[in-house]
Amino acid sequence: MGELSGRKKGKLRWSKLYSFSCLRPSISDPSPVQKLFGQPGFSRVVFCNESQLHKIKPYKYPNNYISTTKYNFVTFLPKALFEQFRRVANLYFLLAAALSITSLAPFNPVSLIAPLVFVVGISMLKEAVEDWHRFLQDLNVNSRNVKAHTGNGTFINKQWQSLCVGDVIKVHKNEYFPSDLLLLSSSYEDGLCYVETMNLDGETNLKAKRCLEATLGLDEEPELKNFTATIRCEDPNPSLYTFVGNLEFDNKSYPLSPAQVLLRDSKLRNTDYIYGVVIFSGPDTKVVRNSTISPSKRSQIERKMDHVIYLLFSMLVLISLVTAMGCALVVKSDMVNWWYLRLQEGDPFFSPSKPFVSGFLQFIRALILYGYLIPISLYVSIELVKVLQATLINKDIEMYDEVTCKSVEARTSNLNEELGQVEMILSDKTGTLTCNQMEFRKCSIAGISYGGDVNEVDLAASKRINADMERYQFSFARSDSITESFEMLEFSVADISIQKAALGGKEDIDNLLTGNSRISHAGKESVIKGFNFKDDRLTGKSWIWTSNSYDMTMFFRVMALCHTGIPIEEDQTGKLKYEAESPEEVAFLIASQEFGFKFLRRTQSVMVLKELDPSSGFEVEREYKLLNLLEFSSSRKRMSVIVSNDDGQIFLLCKGADSIILDRLDDHGRSYQQATSSHLSDYAEDGLRTLVFAYRKLEVAEYENWNSIFTRAKTTVGPKRDELLESASEMIEKDLILLGAAAVEDKLQKGVPECIDKLAQAGLKFWLLTGDKKETAVNIGFACSLLGHNMRQFHLSLSKEVENSNQVQAMKDDILHQIESFSLAMSEERSKNAPFALIVDGKALEIALRSDVKNHFFCLAVNCISVICCRVSPKQKALITRSVKAYTGRITLAIGDGANDVGMIQEADIGVGISGMEGMQAVMASDFSLPQFHFLERLLLVHGHWCYKRISKMILYFVYKNILLGLTLFYYELYTAFSGEVLYDDWYMVLFNVMLTSLPVISLGVLEQDVSSEVCLQFPALYQQGQRNIHFSWVRIIGWILNGVVTSLVILTMNIRILSPTAFREEGDVADMAHLGAITYTCVIWTVNCQIALIISHFTWIQHVFIWGSILSWYILLLIYGALPPSYSNRAFHLLVEAIGPAPKYWMVTLLVVVVSLLPYIIHLVIQRTFYPMDDHVIQEMKHFRKDIMDNAMWLREQNNSKTTTHVGFSARVEAKISRLKQQLHHKKA
C-alpha cells in the first residue's frame, strides 16, 4: 500500500461539480476523539475487507436483513392469540366453551366450541395473510443486489440481506445505499460523490460527500485486493447528522466525520460509482434506528366496542343474577308444594334443602344460556366485512393513477372505519405534496414581470365576481419612461382581452389562454421538463431591441453561470440536460438555455456559454474564467461566482434570497427595487420560490487584494475558519446592482390544493412536517393553500444569541416567551376572526417538545389554522405525531413517501404511504398506500365516510338482534318460573348468527351508502358526522339496546298472549313448547330481517337476495330439519309440515307480531326525518325527488349552504383573491 500512498497526491484534482463545504480540513488533533473509543457508546470496531471476523464474538454484528412484519414463525401463535383474546367477548366465550363440557351447560358443547374456534381461526388467518404481504415486500427489498468484494479484486452480485459489516461494496449511479457505508473512493478523482437524502430528511438538494485523501487511490477493483483497515467508531444510534470515528490505515489514524458516511436509503446521484465499506448493517443503520416497532393499531370504534361488550356483559350478569335469585326463591318457597314435579334431593339444580346452591348453579347456567346477548360472530363478521371493504377500496377505478399504473392499496383492513373520523392530517412535503420537480415559471427583469399570471385562482375569482381582472402583476412599475412605451402599449392589448374574457366566463378564458402564447396556465403540462414559461417577449429574440437589453443579458448570464451544475447529455433536439446540487439550479439552467444562453461545459477553471449577442442577434460561444465560487448555505442564503470574460473584465454574479440581496445593493443599483419587490410579493402569493439576481463589476486590484484574504481564510485550520470565510465573503458581496428576480415552482402533485380545500371543508386540520428549510416549506405552504396572505404568521425559532449560548434553560425561556406573546396576540385578534399559522424551526421544535414546554406549545398550535414544522428529523416527526394524539385526543392521519416518514406513519392512528418514485419504505410501514396525494380526498370523504357509517350501523344492528334473541330466552324463564327450560332448539341458536341473519348484515357492512360518491365530494361537510361520532355515540348505542329490549318483550308477550288462551289448530290442539319456540323464532327472524331493510339506504339486488333469502332459508331449514328422524330432529320432527305450517294462526301471528315490533322504530324514523333531519336525510330526499336535476338552483344553494368558512385550501385563496380584486375595483372607481 505504500505505492498507493505515494500516488494519491498526484491524483488529487477537482471534480466538475464541487462545493467548499465538503473540503474542509480534517481535525488537526484527533486525540480528544481518540480518548472516547472503547468507552460506552464508542465501542464499535469494523475490520474493513475482513467481514469473516464479524461472524464471531466479540465483533459479531447483525446482518443486513430488515423486517417490518408484526410476526414471525415463532411468535405468530402467542402474539395472534393475545390479539384475539384481548377482545373481551372472545374471553367470555372461551370461558363459556370451557364450561360447556360440564353438566352445567344447557347446550351441546359443540354449539359453543365450534363458533369460537371458527371466529378466532378466521381472524388469525386474516392477520397471517396481511403479515405475509408485509413479508413479501420485505423480501423484495432484502433481495436487491449490489456488487460486493469477495477477495482477489473481484466483485460479484450479492443480496442486500447477505451483506455483513466490513464488506466492501460498489454502488452505481442512481442506486440506493444498502447499509451505512464509509466512503472509500468515487468515480471522481478527488473522491467526491453526490447523495440525495430525500428519503431521510426530505431535502431535494444533493449533499456532497468526500472520502479521505488516504483512500483516494482505492478507485479500481484490483487495488482493493490487499486493502485492509480498521474503523473504530460510535455505537449504532439514530442521529442522522453526526458521526464520530477513526480509520486506522497504513499505521496511521485518520479522523472520520459525517462527510465520509453514506446512509442507507439515500441515493447516489451525479456520480458514476463509489466504493464503500459497511459500517452499520440492518437494524444498526441510522434509518432503521429512526424507525419504530410496527404497532398493532385498533380503531376508535373497535376500542369503544369493548365498552359496549362490557355493558352487554353487565346486562348478562344482571339477568343471570335475577334468574339465580328467582330460582332460589321459587325452589325454597313454592316448588316444594308442587308435588307433581317430584323433586329429588340428589338434583343440585332444584334442591329445596340447598336453595342457594341451586341458585348459584342456575347463575352459571344462565351465564351460558343468555350468552347470545354477546355476539360472538360480530368480530368475525366485522373482519370479513372489513376485508371486503378493503377490496372495494383497492378496486376503485377512480383511485387508479394512469401515470404510475398504481392504485390505492389498503394494506390493512383494521382501520377502514377510522378513515371516516380523521380530524388532523400530518403531512410530509417532498414527494408527498410535491413531485420533486422544479419548473421555471416567471421572472422580473429590470422592473418588468414576464410569464403569464393567469392561474386557476384568478379564473375562479374573476368568474365569481363577474368583473374585470386586474392585471396589476403585468404592470411595469408604473414607469413613464418613453423608452418603455413599446412594452406598455403591447401588453395593454392583452389586458383588454383578458378583461373581456373574464366577463365572458371560463369558456372565453380558456379560448384566450389557447390563443395567447404569453399566458401560461398552471394546470397545463409544460412541453419542456423544468420549463413552464410562455412569453414571446423573452422566448423570441425581440428583447434584444429593447432599451434595457444590457440588464437582460446580465440577468441571463447570472442564471447561466452562477451555479454548480454540469451538462450530462444532449437530447435529439440538441438541448442539453443538466444535473446540479439543487433542483432549482437545474431549472435555471434549462431556462437560460431556452432564453438563448446555453451552458455548454465546464472545466476546473473555465465555464463555456453559447449565448445570444444583443448587438448582432446571433449566438456566439464565449468562455468565462471561473475565479472563485462562494457557496450557498442555509445561513448565507446566497451564492456567488467571480468570473472574468475575454476582455479581462471581472464580475461578481450573485443570486440569493431577497432579504439578503436587497440589503447588499449599492445606492445606484436600486433602480428596479420597488417594482421587483412588488413582483416578488405576487410570486410568493402564487407559492413560487424566488431568488434575486444581482451583479457587481470588480476592479482588478480590488479583486486581487480580496482574493489573497479569501485564500488565507480558506486554508486556515481551526474553529475560526468559518468566521474568516464569512468575513471575506461580506467584503466582496456588497455594492451590488439589482437585475431582477426569478421564480420557480416546486411542482405540486396533481390536485393538491383542491384536495386540501375539500378536506378543510370537511373539518380537517393540516400540519406540514418537513426536513426542508423554512423558506422552502413556507413557499409550499402558499402553493398548496395551507398559508394565505390574510393569515397572521407566528414564526417560532431560537434567537442566534440564545442558540449560540447552548444553554437549555435559556432556550426554554426564549421559546416560552415567544409562545406567550403569540398567545396574547391570538387572544387580542380572535374577535376579528383572523386566521393564524404557526411556522416552527427544527431546533425550536426540539425545545418545544420537552415535557415542561410541550403543553404551552400545543395549546398555541392547536388553535392555529395551519402548522408548518421545518428541519424536522424522523424521530421528531414521530414524536410530534404521538404528542398531537395525546394532547388533542383526535384521530390523526400521517402521510409521507420516504423512509424519514416511517416513524410518523407508524405512530399515527392511520398511516398513509405515497407509492411514488422514491423507495417503498413508507408504503411498507403504512396502513394505506396512495399513488398520489389527491386520492386522499376520495379515500377519506367517500370510502372513509361510507366505512364509518357501515361499521357503525352494522355493530348497532348486531347488538340489537342478539339482545332481541337473548332476552326472549330470559323472558321465557320468567314466564316458566325459572324452570331452566330452553325455548329454542339447539340448532336454532347455532344457526341464528351463522346462517339466518349473517348475510344481510354483511351486505349492510359492505354495500350500504347513505349518499353516492359524487354527493360525498359535493357535500364534504357530511364527513363531520364521523368526526363527531354521531352514528356510534352512546345515545345511539343505548337507543338500539332499548329497541332490542322492547322488541323482544313485544314478540314473546304477544306470542304467549295469543297462543296460550285458545286452541292452536282446528282440532283443538293447543301450542306446546316446540310450537311456541318455533313460532316465536319465526317472528324473531322476520323482525330482525325487516329491521335491517329499514336501516339500509342503498338497495342493490344483493341486499334483496340476502334479506328475503335469509327469511326463506329459515323455512327451508325447518323443513329439512323436521324431515330428519326424531333422534336427530327431536321436538322439530315434521313441525312445519304437520303442526304449524297448516295453521292459519301461525301466519297471522307472524304478520301481526312483526308489524307491532317494528312500529316503534318506524315512528322514531318519521319523527326524526320530519322534525330533526340530518344532512344526509335532506340530501336523500332531494335526490329521491330529483331536485339535483329538476331544480339545480336549489341543489347548488344547499351545496353552498353546507360549506363552512375555511382559511386554507383553494376556496380560501379564491375568496382572498376576490377581496383583493374588489378593493382594487373600488380604488379604481374612486
Side-chain angles (χ1 to χ4, degrees), residues 772-893:
D772 231 328
K773 57 182 182 288
K774 182 189 290 187
E775 293 80 3
T776 304
V778 169
N779 283 332
I780 291 300
F782 279 108
C784 64
S785 305
L786 285 178
L787 296 178
H789 286 278
N790 61 331
M791 282 188 186
R792 172 81 181 274
Q793 294 182 19
F794 297 140
H795 291 262
L796 187 64
S797 59
L798 291 169
S799 63
K800 287 187 177 180
E801 296 79 10
V802 173
E803 187 176 340
N804 293 334
S805 69
N806 204 26
Q807 294 180 1
V808 176
Q809 189 58 46
M811 294 179 181
K812 287 182 182 179
D813 293 340
D814 185 25
I815 295 298
L816 285 171
H817 174 72
Q818 292 182 58
I819 291 175
E820 186 178 340
S821 63
F822 295 158
S823 300
L824 183 62
M826 184 180 290
S827 61
E828 290 174 352
E829 297 188 27
R830 187 168 292 166
S831 59
K832 304 175 185 177
N833 197 27
F836 304 96
L838 180 63
I839 295 98
V840 191
D841 187 66
K843 291 184 179 179
L845 184 65
E846 185 179 344
I847 302 298
L849 291 177
R850 290 177 178 261
S851 58
D852 48 348
V853 186
K854 186 190 298 184
N855 287 340
H856 297 85
F857 169 71
F858 281 108
C859 182
L860 172 69
V862 295
N863 288 308
C864 292
I865 300 297
S866 299
V867 179
I868 296 178
C869 302
C870 321
R871 294 290 185 187
V872 183
S873 69
K875 277 281 188 184
Q876 283 181 322
K877 287 187 176 184
L879 181 58
I880 292 169
T881 307
R882 186 185 314 138
S883 301
V884 168
K885 282 170 55 182
Y887 184 84
T888 64
R890 299 171 181 172
I891 293 177
T892 59
L893 181 148

Side-chain angles (χ1 to χ4, degrees), residues 414-430:
N414 292 339
L415 305 172
N416 295 349
E417 69 275 20
E418 200 95 321
L419 290 171
Q421 297 183 277
V422 177
E423 294 184 75
M424 300 196 72
I425 295 179
L426 297 97
S427 175
D428 176 43
K429 178 188 75 70
T430 309

Side-chain angles (χ1 to χ4, degrees), residues 217-233:
L218 300 171
D219 59 350
E220 294 178 8
E221 295 181 2
E223 292 175 346
L224 292 163
K225 177 179 179 180
N226 299 318
F227 166 66
T228 56
T230 302
I231 300 171
R232 301 183 187 275
C233 65

Side-chain angles (χ1 to χ4, degrees), residues 615-856:
S615 59
S616 64
F618 296 106
E619 291 184 345
V620 295
E621 189 171 307
R622 288 199 174 102
E623 289 188 356
Y624 294 88
K625 186 176 181 181
L626 178 61
L627 303 177
N628 299 93
L629 183 148
L630 307 180
E631 65 172 359
F632 187 94
S633 69
S634 57
S635 59
R636 281 171 41 78
K637 297 184 181 179
R638 64 189 183 277
M639 173 188 177
S640 300
V641 293
I642 302 176
V643 297
S644 63
N645 59 16
D646 296 337
D647 299 331
Q649 294 176 316
I650 300 175
F651 293 93
L652 180 141
L653 309 179
C654 184
K655 67 180 181 184
D658 56 315
S659 59
I660 301 297
I661 302 298
L662 296 181
D663 290 341
R664 284 167 169 73
L665 296 179
D666 186 72
D667 291 340
H668 301 291
R670 300 178 180 270
S671 304
Y672 314 122
Q673 182 174 351
Q674 183 179 354
T676 304
S677 298
S678 174
H679 298 153
L680 286 169
S681 176
D682 295 337
Y683 299 161
E685 184 183 354
D686 290 336
L688 302 180
R689 194 179 300 186
T690 57
L691 285 177
V692 174
F693 290 1
Y695 79 101
R696 179 189 176 196
K697 187 175 180 180
L698 301 175
E699 298 297 331
V700 176
E702 179 187 7
Y703 168 73
E704 290 178 349
N705 180 51
W706 172 84
N707 190 43
S708 62
I709 297 172
F710 181 72
T711 303
R712 284 197 302 271
K714 193 168 58 174
T715 56
T716 300
V717 175
K720 291 187 176 181
R721 180 177 187 272
D722 289 342
E723 184 181 339
L724 292 172
L725 280 172
E726 182 60 28
S727 176
S729 300
E730 292 282 349
M731 291 173 59
I732 199 71
E733 292 174 322
K734 63 180 183 180
D735 301 333
L736 302 176
I737 299 173
L738 179 65
L739 292 169
V744 294
E745 179 183 24
D746 193 352
K747 190 171 174 57
L748 293 175
Q749 289 189 13
K750 175 186 174 185
V752 166
E754 293 80 2
C755 174
I756 291 175
D757 182 48
K758 279 287 177 65
L759 295 178
Q761 292 286 341
L764 285 89
K765 281 193 172 183
F766 281 85
W767 285 39
L768 181 63
L769 311 180
T770 177
D772 231 328
K773 57 182 182 288
K774 182 189 290 187
E775 293 80 3
T776 304
V778 169
N779 283 332
I780 291 300
F782 279 108
C784 64
S785 305
L786 285 178
L787 296 178
H789 286 278
N790 61 331
M791 282 188 186
R792 172 81 181 274
Q793 294 182 19
F794 297 140
H795 291 262
L796 187 64
S797 59
L798 291 169
S799 63
K800 287 187 177 180
E801 296 79 10
V802 173
E803 187 176 340
N804 293 334
S805 69
N806 204 26
Q807 294 180 1
V808 176
Q809 189 58 46
M811 294 179 181
K812 287 182 182 179
D813 293 340
D814 185 25
I815 295 298
L816 285 171
H817 174 72
Q818 292 182 58
I819 291 175
E820 186 178 340
S821 63
F822 295 158
S823 300
L824 183 62
M826 184 180 290
S827 61
E828 290 174 352
E829 297 188 27
R830 187 168 292 166
S831 59
K832 304 175 185 177
N833 197 27
F836 304 96
L838 180 63
I839 295 98
V840 191
D841 187 66
K843 291 184 179 179
L845 184 65
E846 185 179 344
I847 302 298
L849 291 177
R850 290 177 178 261
S851 58
D852 48 348
V853 186
K854 186 190 298 184
N855 287 340
H856 297 85

Side-chain angles (χ1 to χ4, degrees), residues 30 34 246-249 251-255:
Q34 188 72 37
N246 273 2
L247 175 70
E248 297 174 1
F249 177 50
N251 299 319
K252 292 182 181 179
S253 183
Y254 303 92

